[in-house]
Amino acid sequence: MNGIKIVGTGYAAPSKIVTNDDLAKIVETNDEWITSRTGISRRHHMAQGETITDMTVQAARKALESSGISVDSIGACIVATLTPDTLVPSAACVLQRELGLPMDIPCFDLNAACTGFLYALHTMECLLAASERKFGLVIGAENLSRIINWSDRGTCILFGDGAGAAVVESRPEWNSISAVLGCHGDAQILRVPGVETAERSLISMEGTKVFKFAVEAVPYCMDQVLAKTGMTIDDVDFFVFHQANARIIDLVVRKYHIPQEKYYKNIAEYGNPSAASIPLVIGELHEMGKVGHGSRVLVVGFGGGLTWGGALVEFA
Ligand code: UT7
């Protein structure tokens, strides 16, 4: 099967910044607890009037610009999100209209919570293999501040908003991203009820259980991807982890002896923006020049569902 590589990236962060001290005015918490337990200092939340559409359009335009390809070449558009502006039309359909993407291509949203971007990359790889147009637009975007339970200090401190986008290209001579994806089908540990159900549609989470799941799921995904690709830790140029808690990342890099110059944390600035977390990291790294032409990046995510995913993502 054809493989995909990233040819352009972009990201967008909402304008409103919420500090730990701001949150200490709402719930019983403090900067010291949040920083030491999570690594988060601030998060970006959408201000009044800002939308997922604004974020996806900004991120996608930057990704298209950085790839140098025109919208006519795009063969599919997937937005990974659990917080679209509207359930129908999907965020991807709205984006298609805003960008003027071709009409005869699939545009849809995908929900795999924080693992959404990895699920979307794998889905895109399969779609483009069968498409005449060989470029795809993959986006992760969230407006989690809309569904935060502001009386729950265990969750309201964690989540942020934002979007990240990648333009990918498919070619028969390229390796597959070797995605490893899965889920447990758990309905309690991390939950956001649907609209108009008996429950309020807000995030609830048993944080310690997610933490325990994550510290097993991340190494599992890494080992699986390395086995599938026949690579070793040293062969990987950069590691991108879902930004859920700095302590999870610290545990993993210590376990695999990954040097500091080969991974990156932006959780202090953005908190956990779920499906936007991984593409925001990739977008920042690309902009800083830490990844680019030829880089081989091991990407790992986990989240509600409980879902997990890993892939070896290369830059063209
Ligand atoms: O994207 C994927 C989804 N999310 C995650 O991956 C999250 C993974 N989990 C975590 O990051 C951590 O479990 C949390 C940061 C959510 C919580 O940290 P923890 O070390 O697991 O704390 P805990 O839930 O065991 O709570 C310890 C104490 C409790 O007090 P008591 O019962 O010991 O008196 C909590 O009530 O800390 C208290 N606590 C807080 N205190 C101050 C919980 N949240 C706060 C807070 N400020 N914001």
Side-chain angles (χ1 to χ4, degrees):
M1 193 179 83
N2 292 21
I4 53 167
K5 291 190 184 186
I6 293 180
V7 294
T9 65
Y11 65 93
S15 57
K16 187 173 143 197
I17 288 165
V18 179
T19 64
N20 292 346
D21 288 338
D22 292 334
L23 291 174
K25 292 176 195 147
I26 301 172
V27 286
E28 203 181 322
T29 190
N30 56 72
D31 178 52
E32 200 280 321
W33 193 95
I34 301 172
T35 312
S36 62
R37 295 290 184 111
T38 70
I40 302 169
S41 304
R42 313 158 12 128
R43 64 289 286 147
H44 291 241
H45 284 173
M46 291 201 199
Q48 195 86 35
E50 279 181 317
T51 61
I52 280 285
T53 303
D54 298 330
M55 296 298 128
T56 54
V57 167
Q58 270 182 52
R61 286 218 168 105
K62 282 189 200 158
L64 284 162
E65 201 180 298
S66 110
S67 72
I69 69 135
S70 78
V71 289
D72 303 330
S73 312
I74 296 292
C77 172
I78 306 176
V79 179
T81 184
L82 59 98
T83 49
D85 293 332
T86 49
L87 287 177
V88 179
S90 67
C93 287
V94 177
L95 185 61
Q96 177 194 37
R97 181 193 66 206
E98 294 295 316
L99 296 178
L101 297 177
M103 278 200 282
D104 56 341
I105 64 167
C107 298
F108 59 94
D109 291 358
L110 180 157
N111 174 3
C114 306
T115 323
F117 188 76
L118 278 162
Y119 270 62
L121 274 180
H122 174 67
T123 307
M124 183 61 80
E125 184 168 77
C126 299
L127 280 175
L128 290 182
S131 162
E132 281 179 15
R133 295 191 181 90
K134 291 300 173 197
F135 293 91
L137 194 49
V138 186
I139 293 162
E142 297 293 6
N143 185 354
L144 295 175
S145 58
R146 217 176 62 197
I147 55 166
I148 282 172
N149 177 352
W150 292 108
S151 60
D152 177 13
R153 67 178 180 173
T155 54
C156 75
I157 54 144
L158 297 172
F159 298 105
D161 303 338
V167 175
V168 298
E169 182 181 353
S170 166
R171 289 198 195 174
E173 68 269 28
W174 283 345
N175 290 330
S176 159
I177 60 171
S178 301
V180 173
L181 305 172
C183 72
H184 274 311
D186 180 279
Q188 294 306 324
I189 291 176
L190 211 176
R191 185 172 172 82
V192 182
V195 288
E196 301 294 326
T197 60
E199 298 171 81
R200 289 171 73 201
S201 196
L202 301 175
I203 303 171
S204 63
M205 181 178 75
E206 297 178 45
T208 312
K209 287 188 182 162
V210 180
F211 195 100
K212 282 188 186 144
F213 157 69
V215 294
E216 285 177 12
V218 175
Y220 171 81
C221 290
M222 290 175 67
D223 293 345
Q224 294 285 309
V225 174
L226 291 174
K228 238 177 145 174
T229 55
M231 290 172 66
T232 66
I233 288 287
D234 291 339
D235 296 330
V236 176
D237 297 312
F238 218 96
F239 295 83
V240 167
F241 301 104
H242 168 47
Q243 310 282 306
N245 187 318
R247 287 190 291 140
I248 297 173
I249 299 173
D250 294 343
L251 282 168
V252 172
V253 295
R254 216 174 303 137
K255 181 180 167 90
Y256 286 89
H257 306 289
I258 298 170
Q260 210 172 352
E261 62 277 11
K262 279 199 177 186
Y263 69 95
Y264 177 61
K265 289 185 277 189
N266 65 7
I267 190 166
E269 178 65 28
Y270 296 108
N272 174 357
S274 189
S277 155
I278 285 171
L280 259 166
V281 172
I282 292 175
E284 283 202 327
L285 288 171
H286 193 204
E287 189 175 69
M288 290 186 284
K290 288 183 188 278
V291 298
H293 297 301
S295 300
R296 296 183 296 181
V297 186
L298 207 169
V299 186
V300 187
F302 59 88
L306 295 168
T307 54
W308 63 85
L312 199 280
V313 183
E314 293 187 45
F315 276 72

PDB file of all heavy atoms in Angstrom, residues 28-29 33 37-38 114 153-154 157-158 190 205 207-208 210-211 242 244-245 247-248 272 302-303, ligand 1:
ATOM      1  N   GLU A  28     -10.727  25.256  44.451  1.00  0.00           N
ATOM      2  CA  GLU A  28      -9.692  25.209  45.481  1.00  0.00           C
ATOM      3  C   GLU A  28      -8.458  24.509  44.901  1.00  0.00           C
ATOM      4  O   GLU A  28      -8.377  23.274  44.863  1.00  0.00           O
ATOM      5  CB  GLU A  28     -10.220  24.453  46.694  1.00  0.00           C
ATOM      6  CG  GLU A  28      -9.477  24.814  47.963  1.00  0.00           C
ATOM      7  CD  GLU A  28     -10.001  24.036  49.153  1.00  0.00           C
ATOM      8  OE1 GLU A  28     -11.222  23.811  49.241  1.00  0.00           O
ATOM      9  OE2 GLU A  28      -9.147  23.645  49.973  1.00  0.00           O
ATOM     10  N   THR A  29      -7.538  25.308  44.407  1.00  0.00           N
ATOM     11  CA  THR A  29      -6.307  24.765  43.846  1.00  0.00           C
ATOM     12  C   THR A  29      -5.236  25.839  43.939  1.00  0.00           C
ATOM     13  O   THR A  29      -5.494  26.936  44.436  1.00  0.00           O
ATOM     14  CB  THR A  29      -6.511  24.305  42.377  1.00  0.00           C
ATOM     15  OG1 THR A  29      -5.353  23.584  41.953  1.00  0.00           O
ATOM     16  CG2 THR A  29      -6.742  25.463  41.422  1.00  0.00           C
ATOM     17  N   TRP A  33       0.419  23.192  43.060  1.00  0.00           N
ATOM     18  CA  TRP A  33      -0.164  21.851  42.858  1.00  0.00           C
ATOM     19  C   TRP A  33      -0.264  21.544  41.367  1.00  0.00           C
ATOM     20  O   TRP A  33       0.156  20.486  40.908  1.00  0.00           O
ATOM     21  CB  TRP A  33      -1.570  21.756  43.500  1.00  0.00           C
ATOM     22  CG  TRP A  33      -2.067  20.333  43.604  1.00  0.00           C
ATOM     23  CD1 TRP A  33      -1.969  19.511  44.686  1.00  0.00           C
ATOM     24  CD2 TRP A  33      -2.705  19.557  42.573  1.00  0.00           C
ATOM     25  NE1 TRP A  33      -2.495  18.270  44.398  1.00  0.00           N
ATOM     26  CE2 TRP A  33      -2.958  18.267  43.099  1.00  0.00           C
ATOM     27  CE3 TRP A  33      -3.076  19.806  41.252  1.00  0.00           C
ATOM     28  CZ2 TRP A  33      -3.570  17.247  42.371  1.00  0.00           C
ATOM     29  CZ3 TRP A  33      -3.677  18.790  40.520  1.00  0.00           C
ATOM     30  CH2 TRP A  33      -3.927  17.532  41.085  1.00  0.00           C
ATOM     31  N   ARG A  37       2.023  18.624  39.692  1.00  0.00           N
ATOM     32  CA  ARG A  37       1.312  17.378  39.363  1.00  0.00           C
ATOM     33  C   ARG A  37       1.079  17.193  37.871  1.00  0.00           C
ATOM     34  O   ARG A  37       0.819  16.088  37.409  1.00  0.00           O
ATOM     35  CB  ARG A  37      -0.065  17.326  40.046  1.00  0.00           C
ATOM     36  CG  ARG A  37      -0.043  17.262  41.542  1.00  0.00           C
ATOM     37  CD  ARG A  37       0.480  15.903  42.030  1.00  0.00           C
ATOM     38  NE  ARG A  37       0.394  15.838  43.472  1.00  0.00           N
ATOM     39  CZ  ARG A  37      -0.445  15.052  44.131  1.00  0.00           C
ATOM     40  NH1 ARG A  37      -1.251  14.244  43.481  1.00  0.00           N
ATOM     41  NH2 ARG A  37      -0.460  15.067  45.449  1.00  0.00           N
ATOM     42  N   THR A  38       1.112  18.293  37.107  1.00  0.00           N
ATOM     43  CA  THR A  38       0.751  18.158  35.682  1.00  0.00           C
ATOM     44  C   THR A  38       1.762  18.780  34.723  1.00  0.00           C
ATOM     45  O   THR A  38       1.785  18.423  33.549  1.00  0.00           O
ATOM     46  CB  THR A  38      -0.607  18.847  35.385  1.00  0.00           C
ATOM     47  OG1 THR A  38      -0.441  20.267  35.485  1.00  0.00           O
ATOM     48  CG2 THR A  38      -1.698  18.378  36.328  1.00  0.00           C
ATOM     49  N   CYS A 114      -8.429  11.937  22.557  1.00  0.00           N
ATOM     50  CA  CYS A 114      -7.071  12.483  22.420  1.00  0.00           C
ATOM     51  C   CYS A 114      -6.224  11.731  21.390  1.00  0.00           C
ATOM     52  O   CYS A 114      -5.190  12.222  20.956  1.00  0.00           O
ATOM     53  CB  CYS A 114      -6.361  12.475  23.767  1.00  0.00           C
ATOM     54  SG  CYS A 114      -7.290  13.296  25.050  1.00  0.00           S
ATOM     55  N   ARG A 153     -12.181  20.367  40.286  1.00  0.00           N
ATOM     56  CA  ARG A 153     -10.772  20.798  40.211  1.00  0.00           C
ATOM     57  C   ARG A 153      -9.861  19.726  39.618  1.00  0.00           C
ATOM     58  O   ARG A 153      -8.745  20.015  39.191  1.00  0.00           O
ATOM     59  CB  ARG A 153     -10.262  21.214  41.597  1.00  0.00           C
ATOM     60  CG  ARG A 153     -10.166  20.075  42.589  1.00  0.00           C
ATOM     61  CD  ARG A 153      -9.619  20.555  43.918  1.00  0.00           C
ATOM     62  NE  ARG A 153      -9.533  19.466  44.879  1.00  0.00           N
ATOM     63  CZ  ARG A 153      -8.983  19.566  46.062  1.00  0.00           C
ATOM     64  NH1 ARG A 153      -8.473  20.725  46.443  1.00  0.00           N
ATOM     65  NH2 ARG A 153      -8.940  18.550  46.883  1.00  0.00           N
ATOM     66  N   GLY A 154     -10.326  18.473  39.606  1.00  0.00           N
ATOM     67  CA  GLY A 154      -9.512  17.379  39.044  1.00  0.00           C
ATOM     68  C   GLY A 154      -9.438  17.416  37.518  1.00  0.00           C
ATOM     69  O   GLY A 154      -8.549  16.807  36.926  1.00  0.00           O
ATOM     70  N   ILE A 157      -8.563  22.075  35.476  1.00  0.00           N
ATOM     71  CA  ILE A 157      -7.215  22.640  35.355  1.00  0.00           C
ATOM     72  C   ILE A 157      -6.435  22.078  34.155  1.00  0.00           C
ATOM     73  O   ILE A 157      -5.384  22.603  33.799  1.00  0.00           O
ATOM     74  CB  ILE A 157      -6.398  22.342  36.637  1.00  0.00           C
ATOM     75  CG1 ILE A 157      -6.425  20.815  36.907  1.00  0.00           C
ATOM     76  CG2 ILE A 157      -6.961  23.089  37.834  1.00  0.00           C
ATOM     77  CD1 ILE A 157      -5.169  20.278  37.452  1.00  0.00           C
ATOM     78  N   LEU A 158      -6.951  20.993  33.587  1.00  0.00           N
ATOM     79  CA  LEU A 158      -6.139  20.251  32.616  1.00  0.00           C
ATOM     80  C   LEU A 158      -6.283  20.688  31.163  1.00  0.00           C
ATOM     81  O   LEU A 158      -5.317  20.686  30.404  1.00  0.00           O
ATOM     82  CB  LEU A 158      -6.497  18.755  32.669  1.00  0.00           C
ATOM     83  CG  LEU A 158      -6.215  18.008  33.974  1.00  0.00           C
ATOM     84  CD1 LEU A 158      -6.807  16.607  33.904  1.00  0.00           C
ATOM     85  CD2 LEU A 158      -4.716  17.924  34.227  1.00  0.00           C
ATOM     86  N   LEU A 190     -13.262   7.937  31.420  1.00  0.00           N
ATOM     87  CA  LEU A 190     -13.189   9.283  30.831  1.00  0.00           C
ATOM     88  C   LEU A 190     -14.438   9.435  29.972  1.00  0.00           C
ATOM     89  O   LEU A 190     -14.637   8.662  29.038  1.00  0.00           O
ATOM     90  CB  LEU A 190     -11.922   9.421  29.976  1.00  0.00           C
ATOM     91  CG  LEU A 190     -11.290  10.814  29.884  1.00  0.00           C
ATOM     92  CD1 LEU A 190     -10.011  10.759  29.104  1.00  0.00           C
ATOM     93  CD2 LEU A 190     -12.214  11.873  29.342  1.00  0.00           C
ATOM     94  N   MET A 205     -13.750  12.507  34.657  1.00  0.00           N
ATOM     95  CA  MET A 205     -12.593  11.619  34.464  1.00  0.00           C
ATOM     96  C   MET A 205     -12.097  11.080  35.801  1.00  0.00           C
ATOM     97  O   MET A 205     -12.070  11.804  36.791  1.00  0.00           O
ATOM     98  CB  MET A 205     -11.459  12.420  33.790  1.00  0.00           C
ATOM     99  CG  MET A 205     -10.218  11.608  33.519  1.00  0.00           C
ATOM    100  SD  MET A 205      -8.953  12.569  32.675  1.00  0.00           S
ATOM    101  CE  MET A 205      -8.368  13.592  34.024  1.00  0.00           C
ATOM    102  N   GLY A 207      -8.955  10.459  37.014  1.00  0.00           N
ATOM    103  CA  GLY A 207      -7.610  10.823  36.561  1.00  0.00           C
ATOM    104  C   GLY A 207      -6.545   9.786  36.856  1.00  0.00           C
ATOM    105  O   GLY A 207      -5.710   9.464  36.002  1.00  0.00           O
ATOM    106  N   THR A 208      -6.571   9.238  38.068  1.00  0.00           N
ATOM    107  CA  THR A 208      -5.520   8.294  38.442  1.00  0.00           C
ATOM    108  C   THR A 208      -5.588   7.043  37.571  1.00  0.00           C
ATOM    109  O   THR A 208      -4.564   6.478  37.181  1.00  0.00           O
ATOM    110  CB  THR A 208      -5.643   7.918  39.928  1.00  0.00           C
ATOM    111  OG1 THR A 208      -5.807   9.138  40.658  1.00  0.00           O
ATOM    112  CG2 THR A 208      -4.411   7.229  40.447  1.00  0.00           C
ATOM    113  N   VAL A 210      -6.721   6.923  34.463  1.00  0.00           N
ATOM    114  CA  VAL A 210      -6.214   7.268  33.126  1.00  0.00           C
ATOM    115  C   VAL A 210      -4.686   7.306  33.159  1.00  0.00           C
ATOM    116  O   VAL A 210      -4.010   6.843  32.236  1.00  0.00           O
ATOM    117  CB  VAL A 210      -6.765   8.630  32.632  1.00  0.00           C
ATOM    118  CG1 VAL A 210      -6.227   8.947  31.239  1.00  0.00           C
ATOM    119  CG2 VAL A 210      -8.277   8.634  32.603  1.00  0.00           C
ATOM    120  N   PHE A 211      -4.151   7.850  34.230  1.00  0.00           N
ATOM    121  CA  PHE A 211      -2.694   7.938  34.386  1.00  0.00           C
ATOM    122  C   PHE A 211      -2.076   6.535  34.309  1.00  0.00           C
ATOM    123  O   PHE A 211      -1.115   6.288  33.573  1.00  0.00           O
ATOM    124  CB  PHE A 211      -2.362   8.606  35.729  1.00  0.00           C
ATOM    125  CG  PHE A 211      -0.944   9.067  35.851  1.00  0.00           C
ATOM    126  CD1 PHE A 211      -0.624  10.398  35.643  1.00  0.00           C
ATOM    127  CD2 PHE A 211       0.085   8.186  36.176  1.00  0.00           C
ATOM    128  CE1 PHE A 211       0.689  10.842  35.755  1.00  0.00           C
ATOM    129  CE2 PHE A 211       1.395   8.616  36.281  1.00  0.00           C
ATOM    130  CZ  PHE A 211       1.700   9.946  36.076  1.00  0.00           C
ATOM    131  N   HIS A 242       1.436  12.618  23.239  1.00  0.00           N
ATOM    132  CA  HIS A 242       0.237  13.368  23.621  1.00  0.00           C
ATOM    133  C   HIS A 242       0.526  14.089  24.938  1.00  0.00           C
ATOM    134  O   HIS A 242       1.071  13.505  25.873  1.00  0.00           O
ATOM    135  CB  HIS A 242      -0.942  12.398  23.769  1.00  0.00           C
ATOM    136  CG  HIS A 242      -2.122  13.010  24.433  1.00  0.00           C
ATOM    137  ND1 HIS A 242      -2.616  14.245  24.071  1.00  0.00           N
ATOM    138  CD2 HIS A 242      -2.913  12.579  25.456  1.00  0.00           C
ATOM    139  CE1 HIS A 242      -3.657  14.537  24.828  1.00  0.00           C
ATOM    140  NE2 HIS A 242      -3.848  13.550  25.676  1.00  0.00           N
ATOM    141  N   ALA A 244      -0.711  15.099  27.979  1.00  0.00           N
ATOM    142  CA  ALA A 244      -1.780  14.962  28.975  1.00  0.00           C
ATOM    143  C   ALA A 244      -1.278  15.316  30.360  1.00  0.00           C
ATOM    144  O   ALA A 244      -1.996  15.900  31.173  1.00  0.00           O
ATOM    145  CB  ALA A 244      -2.319  13.542  28.973  1.00  0.00           C
ATOM    146  N   ASN A 245      -0.043  14.940  30.627  1.00  0.00           N
ATOM    147  CA  ASN A 245       0.563  15.213  31.932  1.00  0.00           C
ATOM    148  C   ASN A 245       2.076  15.080  31.741  1.00  0.00           C
ATOM    149  O   ASN A 245       2.544  14.052  31.250  1.00  0.00           O
ATOM    150  CB  ASN A 245       0.046  14.207  32.976  1.00  0.00           C
ATOM    151  CG  ASN A 245       0.504  14.555  34.364  1.00  0.00           C
ATOM    152  OD1 ASN A 245       1.655  14.935  34.583  1.00  0.00           O
ATOM    153  ND2 ASN A 245      -0.400  14.447  35.331  1.00  0.00           N
ATOM    154  N   ARG A 247       4.274  14.430  33.754  1.00  0.00           N
ATOM    155  CA  ARG A 247       4.862  13.304  34.492  1.00  0.00           C
ATOM    156  C   ARG A 247       4.803  12.008  33.685  1.00  0.00           C
ATOM    157  O   ARG A 247       5.668  11.149  33.812  1.00  0.00           O
ATOM    158  CB  ARG A 247       4.138  13.120  35.833  1.00  0.00           C
ATOM    159  CG  ARG A 247       4.486  14.206  36.850  1.00  0.00           C
ATOM    160  CD  ARG A 247       3.941  13.860  38.219  1.00  0.00           C
ATOM    161  NE  ARG A 247       2.496  13.937  38.252  1.00  0.00           N
ATOM    162  CZ  ARG A 247       1.698  13.068  38.886  1.00  0.00           C
ATOM    163  NH1 ARG A 247       2.199  12.054  39.547  1.00  0.00           N
ATOM    164  NH2 ARG A 247       0.390  13.224  38.866  1.00  0.00           N
ATOM    165  N   ILE A 248       3.758  11.872  32.850  1.00  0.00           N
ATOM    166  CA  ILE A 248       3.655  10.669  32.002  1.00  0.00           C
ATOM    167  C   ILE A 248       4.816  10.674  30.995  1.00  0.00           C
ATOM    168  O   ILE A 248       5.498   9.671  30.803  1.00  0.00           O
ATOM    169  CB  ILE A 248       2.289  10.620  31.271  1.00  0.00           C
ATOM    170  CG1 ILE A 248       1.152  10.506  32.285  1.00  0.00           C
ATOM    171  CG2 ILE A 248       2.252   9.463  30.255  1.00  0.00           C
ATOM    172  CD1 ILE A 248      -0.257  10.621  31.700  1.00  0.00           C
ATOM    173  N   ASN A 272      -3.831  20.298  28.087  1.00  0.00           N
ATOM    174  CA  ASN A 272      -4.173  19.138  27.254  1.00  0.00           C
ATOM    175  C   ASN A 272      -5.316  19.505  26.304  1.00  0.00           C
ATOM    176  O   ASN A 272      -6.462  19.533  26.720  1.00  0.00           O
ATOM    177  CB  ASN A 272      -4.580  17.976  28.179  1.00  0.00           C
ATOM    178  CG  ASN A 272      -5.087  16.769  27.412  1.00  0.00           C
ATOM    179  OD1 ASN A 272      -5.201  16.789  26.188  1.00  0.00           O
ATOM    180  ND2 ASN A 272      -5.403  15.709  28.135  1.00  0.00           N
ATOM    181  N   PHE A 302      -2.963   8.655  23.520  1.00  0.00           N
ATOM    182  CA  PHE A 302      -3.906   7.825  24.291  1.00  0.00           C
ATOM    183  C   PHE A 302      -5.005   8.753  24.785  1.00  0.00           C
ATOM    184  O   PHE A 302      -4.821   9.971  24.824  1.00  0.00           O
ATOM    185  CB  PHE A 302      -3.178   7.179  25.492  1.00  0.00           C
ATOM    186  CG  PHE A 302      -2.582   8.202  26.410  1.00  0.00           C
ATOM    187  CD1 PHE A 302      -3.320   8.746  27.445  1.00  0.00           C
ATOM    188  CD2 PHE A 302      -1.298   8.686  26.206  1.00  0.00           C
ATOM    189  CE1 PHE A 302      -2.786   9.731  28.269  1.00  0.00           C
ATOM    190  CE2 PHE A 302      -0.750   9.667  27.019  1.00  0.00           C
ATOM    191  CZ  PHE A 302      -1.499  10.188  28.050  1.00  0.00           C
ATOM    192  N   GLY A 303      -6.131   8.180  25.153  1.00  0.00           N
ATOM    193  CA  GLY A 303      -7.184   9.057  25.665  1.00  0.00           C
ATOM    194  C   GLY A 303      -8.491   8.337  25.877  1.00  0.00           C
ATOM    195  O   GLY A 303      -8.539   7.102  25.976  1.00  0.00           O
TER     196      GLY A 303
HETATM  197  O1  UT7 B   1      -5.774  13.123  27.566  1.00  0.00           O
HETATM  198  C1  UT7 B   1      -5.998  11.956  28.298  1.00  0.00           C
HETATM  199  C2  UT7 B   1      -6.821  12.223  29.485  1.00  0.00           C
HETATM  200  N1  UT7 B   1      -6.238  12.683  30.691  1.00  0.00           N
HETATM  201  C3  UT7 B   1      -5.117  12.260  31.308  1.00  0.00           C
HETATM  202  O2  UT7 B   1      -4.262  11.635  30.784  1.00  0.00           O
HETATM  203  C4  UT7 B   1      -5.009  12.591  32.748  1.00  0.00           C
HETATM  204  C5  UT7 B   1      -4.174  11.586  33.499  1.00  0.00           C
HETATM  205  N2  UT7 B   1      -4.216  11.826  34.946  1.00  0.00           N
HETATM  206  C6  UT7 B   1      -3.591  12.859  35.517  1.00  0.00           C
HETATM  207  O3  UT7 B   1      -2.950  13.650  34.849  1.00  0.00           O
HETATM  208  C7  UT7 B   1      -3.646  12.953  37.035  1.00  0.00           C
HETATM  209  O4  UT7 B   1      -4.298  11.821  37.530  1.00  0.00           O
HETATM  210  C8  UT7 B   1      -4.353  14.244  37.528  1.00  0.00           C
HETATM  211  C9  UT7 B   1      -3.485  15.455  37.271  1.00  0.00           C
HETATM  212  C10 UT7 B   1      -5.705  14.409  36.880  1.00  0.00           C
HETATM  213  C11 UT7 B   1      -4.568  14.141  39.053  1.00  0.00           C
HETATM  214  O5  UT7 B   1      -3.321  13.925  39.685  1.00  0.00           O
HETATM  215  P1  UT7 B   1      -3.155  12.776  40.770  1.00  0.00           P
HETATM  216  O6  UT7 B   1      -1.773  12.860  41.264  1.00  0.00           O
HETATM  217  O7  UT7 B   1      -3.615  11.493  40.152  1.00  0.00           O
HETATM  218  O8  UT7 B   1      -4.140  13.259  41.907  1.00  0.00           O
HETATM  219  P2  UT7 B   1      -5.398  12.509  42.551  1.00  0.00           P
HETATM  220  O9  UT7 B   1      -6.556  12.536  41.627  1.00  0.00           O
HETATM  221  O10 UT7 B   1      -4.955  11.187  43.107  1.00  0.00           O
HETATM  222  O11 UT7 B   1      -5.694  13.464  43.765  1.00  0.00           O
HETATM  223  C12 UT7 B   1      -4.759  13.661  44.843  1.00  0.00           C
HETATM  224  C13 UT7 B   1      -5.287  14.752  45.738  1.00  0.00           C
HETATM  225  C14 UT7 B   1      -6.766  14.567  46.134  1.00  0.00           C
HETATM  226  O12 UT7 B   1      -6.934  15.051  47.437  1.00  0.00           O
HETATM  227  P3  UT7 B   1      -7.022  14.023  48.681  1.00  0.00           P
HETATM  228  O13 UT7 B   1      -8.171  13.119  48.386  1.00  0.00           O
HETATM  229  O14 UT7 B   1      -5.700  13.301  48.684  1.00  0.00           O
HETATM  230  O15 UT7 B   1      -7.227  14.920  49.837  1.00  0.00           O
HETATM  231  C15 UT7 B   1      -7.484  15.490  45.185  1.00  0.00           C
HETATM  232  O16 UT7 B   1      -8.730  15.920  45.696  1.00  0.00           O
HETATM  233  O17 UT7 B   1      -5.220  16.000  45.062  1.00  0.00           O
HETATM  234  C16 UT7 B   1      -6.490  16.628  45.080  1.00  0.00           C
HETATM  235  N3  UT7 B   1      -6.652  17.428  43.882  1.00  0.00           N
HETATM  236  C17 UT7 B   1      -6.257  18.703  43.806  1.00  0.00           C
HETATM  237  N4  UT7 B   1      -5.691  19.524  44.706  1.00  0.00           N
HETATM  238  C18 UT7 B   1      -5.408  20.782  44.323  1.00  0.00           C
HETATM  239  C19 UT7 B   1      -7.157  17.054  42.686  1.00  0.00           C
HETATM  240  N5  UT7 B   1      -7.117  18.081  41.824  1.00  0.00           N
HETATM  241  C20 UT7 B   1      -6.566  19.120  42.504  1.00  0.00           C
HETATM  242  C21 UT7 B   1      -6.268  20.444  42.167  1.00  0.00           C
HETATM  243  N6  UT7 B   1      -5.685  21.233  43.087  1.00  0.00           N
HETATM  244  N7  UT7 B   1      -6.515  20.939  40.937  1.00  0.00           N
END
